[in-house]
Amino acid sequence: MKSGSTHEPKKPGPQSNLQLVAAKAGVSVSSVSRVLNGGSASEELARKVRDAAAELGYVPHASARSMRTGRTDQITLAVADVGNPVYVQMMRTVTGIVAKAGYRLVVSSTGSDPQAQIDLVTSLNRGYADGLLMSPLRITEDLIEAMRSSRLPIVVIGTLPADVALDNVRADSATGIGLAVEHLVAQGRRRIALVNGPVDTVPGSARLAGYLAAVERFGLPTSSELQVTATAFTYRAGRKATAALLGQASPDAIIGANDLLGVAALKELAAAGARVPDDVAVVGMDDTDAAELATPSLTSVDLGSAKRAKAAAKLLIRRIAEPDAPVSRIVIPPALSVRESTGGPA
């Protein structure tokens, strides 16, 4: 050995770390491995191992553990737009449910393109998650086939064709928009307009059908001038659509197909000098925080976004644990939250 040469001590590998934790806890290496990989162990043994691991700063390598156990302890939630208040509400709810079951939530914003959702399903099937919650705006045959053939458990928050045997939780948009029309009719409104999102989407199609059925039931005008379609379910698109509506018709009430479109209608009416609700009453859908924060506060149809998210998360956790369980289809009933935009309390 040459004079002055130094040798750094060899860093312990993963097995050496397990041995250190085992020595610290006073248990066997196999017991440490079992506890840290989620195996069965007594409360006392688990506490000793976790305390020792925490004191030594040892964290198991996640990808290696996933290969051994076949679990990632991750659940993915795929939504169209993470900026939409209804999806924010869903994320909050799902996070709490899956955390209690020992999972982390990973959120993916896929937009409205079904191909992006197909690509996500393909990617997650490589072992990046234990389950997937999806809320697709558009349902295509290719997306349905991707979900059907997935090895990954999937629960859909939204409407699926009756012959698709996948767990799903959906809102009753048709009944919800019927509640809005009924409320407006009770106030003497007759020219009730709809500011909708794209009608080739699941919510856009359902809300248009519900609107047409409701105005027909009450014998109201169904002229095309009272129906406008925004390019997206967003505030900016809603402003443009409402401006177009006011340029072609004189409604005494407007229903926005979600709260962002409803708030956009409030702002556009104010810009046009119309008084809400004296001249025009406004109703939104989804009953998100945006409805309460609006000025005036926005009457909105509560489609149970938190309830849908909770039910879907529980279905997914059950599906992961019981792959052969019967398919569940759950419908969450709507309710109307009356606020200032239709003459209700602040």
Side-chain angles (χ1 to χ4, degrees):
M1 182 183 299
K2 292 183 179 180
S3 175
S5 66
T6 59
H7 292 274
E8 292 185 3
K10 185 179 179 181
K11 293 180 180 180
Q15 185 61 33
S16 298
N17 286 331
L18 288 180
Q19 290 173 339
L20 289 171
V21 173
K24 185 75 176 176
V27 299
S28 67
V29 171
S30 61
S31 294
V32 172
S33 178
R34 187 168 67 253
V35 170
L36 296 181
N37 285 316
S40 60
S42 68
E43 288 186 15
E44 182 181 0
L45 174 60
R47 179 186 56 78
K48 284 182 178 180
V49 170
R50 287 174 183 143
D51 286 350
E55 190 172 338
L56 293 169
Y58 173 63
V59 179
H61 194 279
S63 61
R65 183 176 64 182
S66 174
M67 290 179 65
R68 289 193 301 270
T69 65
R71 285 172 53 102
T72 67
D73 296 330
Q74 294 190 153
I75 283 175
T76 298
L77 170 64
V79 297
D81 177 11
V82 292
N84 188 315
V86 73
Y87 295 132
V88 173
Q89 207 166 36
M90 286 184 176
M91 282 183 264
R92 289 174 182 158
T93 302
V94 171
T95 297
I97 297 296
V98 302
K100 288 180 181 177
Y103 293 95
R104 294 177 298 275
L105 182 67
V106 178
V107 178
S108 177
S109 186
T110 58
S112 59
D113 182 6
Q115 186 58 50
Q117 292 148 4
I118 293 169
D119 292 343
L120 178 65
V121 171
T122 302
S123 174
L124 293 180
N125 268 284
R126 298 184 185 127
Y128 296 121
D130 296 328
L132 172 62
L133 293 166
M134 295 186 73
S135 185
L137 282 183
R138 291 181 171 88
I139 300 289
T140 64
E141 288 298 326
D142 287 343
L143 178 56
I144 289 172
E145 180 55 33
M147 293 189 294
R148 276 176 167 160
S149 60
S150 172
R151 293 183 293 106
L152 186 75
I154 296 176
V155 175
V156 173
I157 304 174
T159 303
L160 288 173
D163 62 342
V164 178
L166 288 172
D167 296 320
N168 78 288
V169 182
R170 69 174 181 87
D172 187 350
S173 291
T175 298
I177 209 164
L179 292 176
V181 172
E182 182 178 11
H183 171 65
L184 293 168
V185 168
Q187 296 185 333
R189 313 285 175 167
R190 298 288 300 173
R191 291 181 57 78
I192 301 173
L194 174 67
V195 178
N196 200 5
V199 294
D200 64 339
T201 63
V202 173
S205 173
R207 288 166 204 189
L208 176 59
Y211 165 80
L212 292 174
V215 295
E216 182 178 352
R217 185 167 78 249
F218 287 101
L220 304 178
T222 59
S223 60
S224 59
E225 68 177 13
L226 290 172
Q227 305 165 38
V228 292
T229 302
T231 56
F233 288 93
T234 63
Y235 172 77
R236 288 180 181 273
R239 288 292 299 263
K240 291 181 181 179
T242 304
L245 170 69
L246 298 179
Q248 69 190 29
S250 299
D252 59 11
I254 296 174
I255 298 174
N258 71 358
D259 284 343
L260 293 178
L261 298 179
V263 171
L266 289 177
K267 296 298 184 183
E268 200 60 36
L269 285 166
R275 298 170 302 164
V276 177
D278 300 32
D279 300 325
V280 184
V282 181
V283 179
M285 297 191 76
D286 286 329
D287 200 25
T288 61
D289 290 345
E292 288 195 66
L293 294 171
T295 304
S297 58
L298 179 66
T299 293
S300 186
V301 179
D302 182 356
L303 294 174
S305 57
K307 291 179 180 177
R308 281 181 282 150
K310 181 178 181 179
K314 288 187 172 182
L315 280 181
L316 183 59
I317 291 167
R318 184 202 67 163
R319 178 63 59 192
I320 293 170
E322 304 175 39
D324 297 323
V327 171
S328 291
R329 297 179 178 89
I330 299 174
V331 180
I332 302 298
L336 187 68
S337 298
V338 179
R339 299 190 179 91
E340 294 170 299
S341 68
T342 59

